[in-house]
Amino acid sequence: MAKENVVVIGGGPCGIEVARNLRDLGYTPILLEQQSELGGHLRLWDRLFPEGVEARKVLKELTGDLKGVKWFTDVNIESIQKSRKGYTVNVDTGMSFQTKALVVTTGFKLFPAENKQEYGYNIYERVITNADLEQYFHTRKDPRIQNPKTIGFVHCVGSRDEKACNRQCSKVCCATAVKQASEIKELFPDAIVYCFYMDLRLFGRSYEDMYLTAQRKYGVRFIRGRVSEVSEDIDGKLFVKAEDTLLGKPMKMKLDLLVLMTGILPGDSTKQLSEMLKIQTGEDGFFTPRDTILEPCMAKDGGLFMAGTCTGPKTIPETLSEARAAAIQVHKYLSK
Amino acid sequence: MIDFGYTLSKSGTLKIENLDDSRFKALHKLEPDAYKCINCGSCTASCSAGVFTELSLRKILLSLQRGEEKDYINQLQSCMLCGKCMLVCPRGINTRHLILSISKIYNTVDR
Ligand code: SF4
Ligand code: SF4
Ligand code: SF4
C-alpha cells in the first residue's frame, strides 16, 4: 500500500522534525520551504544557549536524515483549497498536493531593527543586531566590528514596546544577550561589556549559571535601565542614553559597538497562511491553537496542525518537542 | 521634655500598609495608565530638564504610588512639558497628560 502524504509548510527546524517523525510513523511527508535551503533561522545562528552547542551541528543532525521525506525548497504557496477530503495545496512551481492533514510550521521573523529609528540601525556605523553578531561569530568578518573597547547590548528591541507595536516579551533574547555578551568578551577580553535590561528573563534550566558565568568570569556589567536613544559623534562613537534605575541616575555613555537584541514576530508566511486558511490569530499575530494548554498543536479546524514559533516565541528544544507532539497528533487524527 | 542633646532619627522604612492613597486613586481615575509604568527609566534618560535638575518622572510616579511623594513632587516644577518622555515610553503612557493631572491633583501649580 502506498504511504499516505502529509504536507508540512515551513522547512525550519520545526518542519524538518515534524517531517522526520511523520516518516518514522509510516507517512510520506511533503515538506515545503520558501527559501532556497532548509533550516530557517538555525542557518543564521552560530551557537545555541545555554551550553553553546553549535547551531550547524544541530542542523546537520536534522537535515542529515531526510530519507523518506519529500522536500522542496524555493516554493511559495499559491492557494489552498479545503474540502471534505482534506486540503489541496497549490504551489508556484505548478505542483499541487493532496493531504488529509496539514501541518503549519511557518516560524517567526526577527523584528526589523531599522524600525526603531532612535537606536540608529542602518543609520550609524557601529550599531548591529543579535543576528549580525551571530554571523560575525561564524565568519569573523564585519566591517562594523573593529576591536571594540566598549560594547553595549540593548535588550527588548521591538519587544515589550507599545511604540514598536509589540507588547509581548520575546522570551529568548535575554538568554541570547547573556550568551553573546560572554562570547564577545571571549573574543575581546579587554572590552567592557554592558547589558541594558528592564527585567532579566532567564527562565530555563541552567540559564542562571550562564548569567553567573557572565558576571563572574566575564565581568559583564548589567545595568537595569532601558536605552532611550542613541546618537553618533564625528568619530563614529556612539552616545547612549539610559537611566541606571537602581541608582536612580540618568547616564550618558560612549560606546564602540551597540548590539540590538531584536525580538520575535510572526513570520510573513504566518500572516499569509492565516488569511488563506482562516486560522485564528491573537492580537500579536501568532496563530491561536484550539487550546493553549491541552491542544497547543491543533487549530480549531480538524485536520489542521501547527507547531513551533508560529504559535509564539520558543527555544529550539521547545520547538523540537512540539514538532514531535504535532506528528503524534497528526498520526492519531489520521488513524481514526 | 528633658533635652538629652540628641534626637531620634526618623525611621526610614516604607510604611506601605498605612499608605494614604486617596490622591493616587483620584489620579488613577483621571489617568488609567498611572499603574502601567515598569520603571524602565527611558523617560528620565531622555528628559530635557533631567540633565540640569533632579527631575525624574519615573521617581515621581513611583513615589506617588508608594505615598512618598513629599520628597519628589516639587521636581515637577522643572518640567517643560516638552513631551520627550512620551515619545520614548515603551508602555505608551501619555506622560504629558499624566504630568498635568498630577499637578492638578497634588496641587503643584497655582490655580
Ligand atoms: S527575553 Fe528579555 S530581552 Fe527578550 S523581550 Fe523578554 S525581557 Fe526583553
Ligand atoms: S515633558 Fe517634562 S518630564 Fe517629560 S521629558 Fe519633557 S521636561 Fe522631562
Ligand atoms: S518611560 Fe514610561 S514605563 Fe519607562 S519609567 Fe518612564 S513612564 Fe515608566
Side-chain angles (χ1 to χ4, degrees), chain B residues 43 46-49 55 57 79-85 96 99:
Chain B
C43 51
S46 278
C47 179
S48 322
L55 174 59
L57 180 60
C79 172
M80 307 184 270
L81 287 176
C82 69
K84 265 192 95 175
C85 45
R96 232 173 136 268
I99 291 165

Side-chain angles (χ1 to χ4, degrees), chain A residues 118 160-163 198 224-229 241-245 247-250, chain B residues 36 38-42 44-46 50 56 58-59 84 86-92:
Chain A
E118 56 270 48
R160 306 183 67 198
D161 185 355
E162 301 268 1
K163 301 281 159 60
M198 298 197 279
R224 195 201 170 278
R226 179 174 170 272
V227 170
S228 66
E229 52 189 297
K241 278 189 192 175
E243 188 200 3
D244 185 328
T245 59
L247 266 185
K249 288 204 168 91
Chain B
K36 256 175 53 176
I38 41 172
N39 282 288
C40 73
S42 302
T44 307
S46 278
S56 164
R58 180 184 70 79
K59 280 191 201 166
K84 265 192 95 175
M86 199 164 103
L87 293 178
V88 293
C89 178
R91 276 284 164 109

Side-chain angles (χ1 to χ4, degrees), chain B residues 45-99:
Chain B
S46 278
C47 179
S48 322
V51 198
F52 312 106
T53 70
E54 289 281 291
L55 174 59
S56 164
L57 180 60
R58 180 184 70 79
K59 280 191 201 166
I60 295 169
L61 197 52
L62 185 61
S63 71
L64 297 180
Q65 290 179 6
R66 300 283 191 270
E68 294 277 313
E69 64 267 13
K70 267 199 273 6
D71 301 336
Y72 294 94
I73 195 82
N74 285 333
Q75 289 182 3
L76 265 192
Q77 270 156 12
S78 359
C79 172
M80 307 184 270
L81 287 176
C82 69
K84 265 192 95 175
C85 45
M86 199 164 103
L87 293 178
V88 293
C89 178
R91 276 284 164 109
I93 301 174
N94 185 341
T95 52
R96 232 173 136 268
H97 202 266
L98 177 69
I99 291 165

